[in-house]
């Protein structure tokens, strides 16, 4: 089955349970209630809650580090610790969790293959909740597949590096400035993705925008190992 059919089957049947998906060493779980996306889990470090909180500028590196230490000592959920300490509001946490879950699903659309199992009725105890409708997520996932093909026609693989053509534009945001600095340092798309704590698609899309504006050019393209683990 293709991924959109799997998600549509869950949504149409208004199913409650956990969709387990894996490819090589990457494992993800999409928790659904009544056919809607309710939460997520992933062992990809870029899809951890802490990374999304940093990306959304809701916490600092220092605040996250302290909370992670507290999580080890107290055995409590990271989000609960940050809310209890007043670092985050429940609304901020909910927004980060929603973004995290949707990005976890979007990344699945770019997998060439994988295995899945839907475990009906498997539903963890969750305190901070949100819901994302499946159909808009499917539409965005399909859009990203089309966009990814357009990007890959210019950036052949994730080992692509770049040459910077000029300084950041006036009013450039911090992410754009960071991207240009990484490009100038000779970082590949894969390395930029880790530095930015973003998916490979998001990183490539941001660099492609800079390429379209003439601010970066393709530098060196190194052959990508076919056995590369995502």
């Amino acid at each position: 089955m293709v991924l959109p059919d799997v998600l549509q089957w869950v949504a149409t049947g208004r199913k409650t349970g956990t969709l387990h998906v894996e490819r090589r060493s990457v494992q993800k779980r999409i928790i659904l209630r009544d056919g809607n996306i309710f939460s997520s889990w992933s062992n990809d470090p870029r899809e951890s809650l802490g990374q999304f909180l940093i990306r959304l500028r809701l916490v600092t590196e220092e605040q996250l580090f302290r909370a992670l230490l507290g999580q080890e000592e107290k055995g409590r959920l990271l989000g609960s610790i940050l809310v209890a300490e007043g670092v985050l509001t429940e609304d901020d946490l909910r927004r980060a969790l929603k973004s995290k879950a949707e990005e976890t699903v979007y990344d699945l659309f770019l997998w060439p293959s994988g295995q899945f199992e839907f475990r009906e009725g498997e539903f963890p105890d969750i305190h901070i909740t949100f819901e994302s409708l499946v159909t808009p997520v499917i539409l965005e996932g399909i859009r990203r597949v089309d966009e990814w093909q357009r990007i890959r026609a210019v950036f052949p693989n994730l080992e692509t590096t770049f040459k910077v053509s000029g300084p950041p534009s006036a009013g450039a945001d911090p992410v754009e400035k960071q991207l240009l600095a990484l490009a100038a340092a000779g970082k590949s798309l894969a390395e930029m993705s880790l530095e930015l704590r973003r998916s490979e698609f998001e990183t490539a899309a941001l660099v492609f925008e800079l390429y379209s504006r003439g601010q970066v050019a393709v530098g060196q393209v190194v052959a990508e190992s076919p056995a590369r683990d995502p």
Side-chain angles (χ1 to χ4, degrees):
M1 294 176 71
V2 293
L3 182 64
D5 288 350
V6 175
L7 294 173
Q8 198 62 56
W9 170 73
V10 172
T12 302
R14 297 182 59 80
K15 294 184 177 294
T16 295
T18 301
L19 180 66
H20 293 250
V21 189
E22 64 179 62
R23 176 185 174 222
R24 297 181 187 165
S25 68
V26 176
Q27 300 175 10
K28 303 191 184 198
R29 299 172 197 158
I30 312 301
I31 295 95
L32 302 111
R33 184 176 70 179
D34 297 330
N36 295 326
I37 297 170
F38 200 70
S39 186
S40 70
W41 174 89
S42 170
N43 70 350
D44 185 332
R46 291 168 301 186
E47 293 175 350
S48 69
L49 175 59
Q51 300 304 316
F52 275 85
L53 293 171
I54 294 285
R55 276 178 51 180
L56 294 169
R57 293 181 168 81
L58 293 172
V59 301
T60 64
E61 296 269 7
E62 185 181 354
Q63 289 170 330
L64 176 61
F65 181 69
R66 284 203 307 265
L68 288 170
L69 287 178
Q71 186 180 32
E72 286 186 12
E73 294 168 359
K74 303 170 187 176
R76 292 167 56 199
L77 293 173
L78 177 64
S80 299
I81 292 172
L82 289 167
V83 170
E85 292 179 349
V87 176
L88 277 183
T89 66
E90 287 198 1
D91 284 343
D92 284 339
L93 177 57
R94 189 174 289 108
R95 177 159 63 96
L97 289 169
K98 188 174 189 293
S99 176
K100 170 182 174 297
E102 291 174 352
E103 288 296 336
T104 298
V105 178
Y106 294 148
D107 182 59
L108 293 173
F109 281 82
L110 304 180
W111 286 14
S113 62
Q115 296 176 304
F116 77 90
E117 177 188 1
F118 182 71
R119 300 180 186 174
E120 194 157 7
E122 182 180 279
F123 196 81
D125 184 22
I126 302 171
H127 301 290
I128 304 293
T129 64
F130 67 89
E131 285 190 341
S132 291
L133 299 176
V134 167
T135 299
V137 170
I138 291 174
L139 293 175
E140 172 61 14
I142 292 171
R143 185 198 70 79
R144 291 191 180 204
V145 171
D146 292 339
E147 180 73 4
W148 189 235
Q149 291 173 347
R150 193 163 69 97
I151 292 169
R152 290 301 289 264
V154 180
F155 306 159
N157 60 47
L158 295 168
E159 302 308 319
T160 304
T161 59
F162 303 90
K163 295 178 289 188
V164 176
S165 305
S169 57
D173 64 32
V175 174
E176 183 175 313
K177 290 178 181 177
Q178 187 179 5
L179 270 175
L180 288 170
L182 292 170
K187 298 292 186 181
S188 67
L189 277 174
E191 291 169 327
M192 290 179 181
S193 174
L194 291 172
E195 289 274 355
L196 291 175
R197 297 181 171 85
R198 293 175 183 265
S199 70
E200 291 161 352
F201 169 83
E202 289 180 288
T203 303
L206 289 168
V207 177
F208 191 76
E209 175 62 26
L210 295 175
Y211 170 85
S212 301
R213 300 204 307 254
Q215 290 184 267
V216 298
V218 174
Q220 187 177 11
V221 178
V222 180
E224 189 174 45
S225 169
R228 184 176 179 275
D229 192 316

